[in-house]
Amino acid sequence: MNTLKSLKPSARMPVLFLGHGSPMNAIEDNEFRRSWQALGAEFGVKWPKPQLILCISAHWLTQGWCLTGNEKPETIHDFGGFPQALFDQQYPAPGFPEAAAEIAQILQQPGSLQPLKLDSTWGLDHGTWGVLKPMFPAADIAVMQLSMDYNRSMADHFALGRQLNALRDRGVLIVGSGNVVHNLRAMHREAASNQAYDWTIEFDRQVADFLEAGDFAALQDFQKLKTAAQAHPSYEHFLPLLYTAGAADAGEKPQFFNTSFQAASIAMRSVLWAG
């Protein structure tokens, strides 16, 4: 990390995996948005205010891995069929091109010695701004996104998460944004937050058990679980969890919150790792 000149050494930052669920959680006054607001208020009190937020969102998939290097990343409204109030949302957080260039050189594409690629075309998708706007409404902390290569192995995703660990000592808040269970085809919109399908509850509980036990090998093998195909018809929403688990320290106990559900087929379980 001696080549990382743009970020100062700091007290060790926590790592977060946030279940983001419906894009409407960004603007509705509900239990999830309120929890993000309360969590954001802890920075500058319990933990230092981040110098940089590095977010791994379920909604940016690329060939190879990329970092956003824009100075002013745009707010991306990558959804449809929602009220105009959601499309009107903006999150004008700055980028950090200098840090992006340095981090891209420090991190290596799993399976090779190649650095990460810098991307100036992507901005902040709703997996990122949807949780960060309630947490840090002033939008005064630099934000960059790390993409995911969907076609790579679970071990590769976890390995890149391991590389992110050292950034925690440089004021970088690592945020994974996805969902432990995410099946839009099976949604039951009238379900309460304490109601879910049996397979949603089972998969969510098994993943929590893996995390509590620090069994990251089992976490990477989640597709072997009998409910995996129902929990994730496609697994881009699960992948950010592998990066954040990888960035956690050995023996660092996960703290769970938002352990409820949306629409019966989305698990909102979120995880905090803090030494």
Side-chain angles (χ1 to χ4, degrees):
M1 287 293 159
N2 290 335
T3 57
L4 196 54
K5 307 297 185 185
S6 58
L7 296 168
K8 300 175 182 178
S10 74
R12 194 146 178 80
M13 300 294 289
V15 178
L16 294 171
F17 173 77
L18 300 178
H20 65 241
S22 167
M24 290 298 292
N25 292 331
I27 60 173
E28 289 183 336
D29 181 25
N30 60 28
E31 61 190 280
F32 308 118
R33 184 169 181 267
R34 288 193 294 270
S35 77
W36 299 335
Q37 291 171 321
L39 181 60
E42 297 279 5
F43 290 89
V45 180
K46 187 173 185 178
W47 304 293
K49 181 179 178 179
Q51 298 174 53
L52 170 67
I53 300 169
L54 191 156
C55 190
I56 307 101
S57 165
H59 296 279
W60 190 26
L61 304 177
T62 56
Q63 289 190 326
W65 284 266
C66 300
L67 278 175
T68 53
N70 343 37
E71 187 173 352
K72 295 180 179 180
E74 68 171 311
T75 303
I76 303 173
H77 301 90
D78 50 330
F79 41 69
F82 290 95
Q84 185 60 42
L86 192 61
F87 291 91
D88 290 342
Q89 297 299 305
Q90 294 293 317
Y91 192 63
F96 201 156
E98 297 84 5
E102 292 172 351
I103 293 171
Q105 291 299 314
I106 292 168
L107 302 179
Q108 294 180 346
Q109 303 262 354
S112 77
L113 298 178
Q114 297 298 313
L116 302 193
K117 295 178 283 189
L118 284 177
D119 182 283
S120 60
T121 62
W122 198 252
L124 305 178
D125 61 54
H126 81 270
T128 295
W129 66 260
V131 294
L132 294 187
K133 186 168 186 178
M135 285 182 68
F136 304 108
D140 59 351
I141 301 170
V143 181
M144 70 178 62
Q145 284 197 212
L146 170 64
S147 72
M148 304 183 297
D149 187 336
Y150 187 85
N151 295 315
R152 299 295 290 268
S153 71
M154 302 305 153
D156 283 346
H157 295 291
F158 185 78
L160 187 47
R162 279 282 190 239
Q163 293 185 57
L164 299 178
N165 177 283
L167 295 175
R168 296 174 61 185
D169 293 322
R170 291 301 189 105
V172 180
L173 176 61
I174 297 162
V175 178
S177 180
N179 284 104
V180 170
V181 177
H182 187 266
N183 185 334
L184 299 184
R185 303 172 194 169
M187 286 195 305
H188 181 59
R189 296 183 185 277
E190 304 306 315
S193 64
N194 64 347
Q195 296 177 313
Y197 298 108
D198 289 345
W199 49 265
T200 303
I201 296 169
E202 180 179 342
F203 187 90
D204 177 64
R205 183 65 255 169
Q206 287 177 305
V207 168
D209 289 345
F210 295 156
L211 292 169
E212 286 184 318
D215 191 347
F216 296 144
L219 191 71
Q220 294 170 65
D221 284 339
F222 73 94
Q223 289 171 296
K224 294 181 179 179
L225 298 175
K226 67 178 183 180
T227 56
Q230 288 173 297
H232 290 281
S234 59
Y235 50 80
E236 72 286 338
H237 277 73
F238 189 87
L239 292 180
L241 180 59
L242 297 181
Y243 289 78
T244 51
D249 292 330
E252 202 167 29
K253 291 298 182 183
Q255 302 171 47
F256 298 130
F257 60 102
N258 286 349
T259 55
S260 51
F261 308 95
Q262 278 198 307
S265 63
I266 298 173
M268 293 295 289
R269 180 180 299 275
S270 300
V271 192
L272 164 71
W273 289 270

